[in-house]
Amino acid sequence: MSPLTITTRLAATGPVLKIIGDLDYETAPELRKALDSLSMAPGQMLVLDLAGLDFCDSSGISALISARNLAIEQCGDIALAAVPANTLRILGIVGLDQVFTILPDPATATNRDLMTG
């Protein structure tokens, strides 16, 4: 089991949360707590960088949905970046690959030209 580490930085497009480790029943509340302290301006994009995500269970998926709900409540959008293959497979099975914007890496997610195109 990998401990969860969440780091936050602000890009021109909005907040970027880098999530490293296991996102599961024990650690999902940590992501929700990190989200509670975020504020987004209307039109900004919340990016969750999942390149370092080792494991994600149903509680982790639920926390990702909470992040999406927060972004929508604040009149913003959300993108998942660098989603590991095993997590991408789960998102596809439950249909969330059609709900989330999924991008290859955080740089793509924070590139304003792509957002407007």
Side-chain angles (χ1 to χ4, degrees), residues 21 23 50 53-57 60-61 64 80 82-94 96-97 102:
L23 186 57
L50 303 180
L53 187 68
D54 294 326
F55 175 79
C56 185
D57 71 2
I61 298 292
L64 296 178
L80 305 181
V83 182
N86 57 343
T87 303
L88 189 58
R89 182 175 177 268
I90 292 167
L91 292 173
I93 289 169
V94 297
L96 290 174
D97 60 338
I102 298 176

Side-chain angles (χ1 to χ4, degrees), residues 51-76:
L53 187 68
D54 294 326
F55 175 79
C56 185
D57 71 2
S58 60
S59 297
I61 298 292
S62 178
L64 296 178
I65 293 169
S66 293
R68 179 180 181 272
N69 292 342
L70 172 79
I72 291 169
E73 285 170 13
Q74 296 190 15
C75 300

Side-chain angles (χ1 to χ4, degrees), residues 15 18 24 26 31 34 46 55 65 71 100 105-106 112 114 116-117:
K18 185 172 188 173
D24 58 17
E26 301 251 336
L31 176 55
L46 170 61
F55 175 79
I65 293 169
F100 286 102
D105 54 56
R112 275 205 179 275
L114 291 176
T116 58

Side-chain angles (χ1 to χ4, degrees), residues 6-31:
I6 301 171
T7 56
T8 304
R9 68 178 173 86
L10 191 57
T13 53
V16 178
L17 272 65
K18 185 172 188 173
I19 301 169
I20 300 170
D22 291 348
L23 186 57
D24 58 17
Y25 177 78
E26 301 251 336
T27 62
E30 294 176 43
L31 176 55

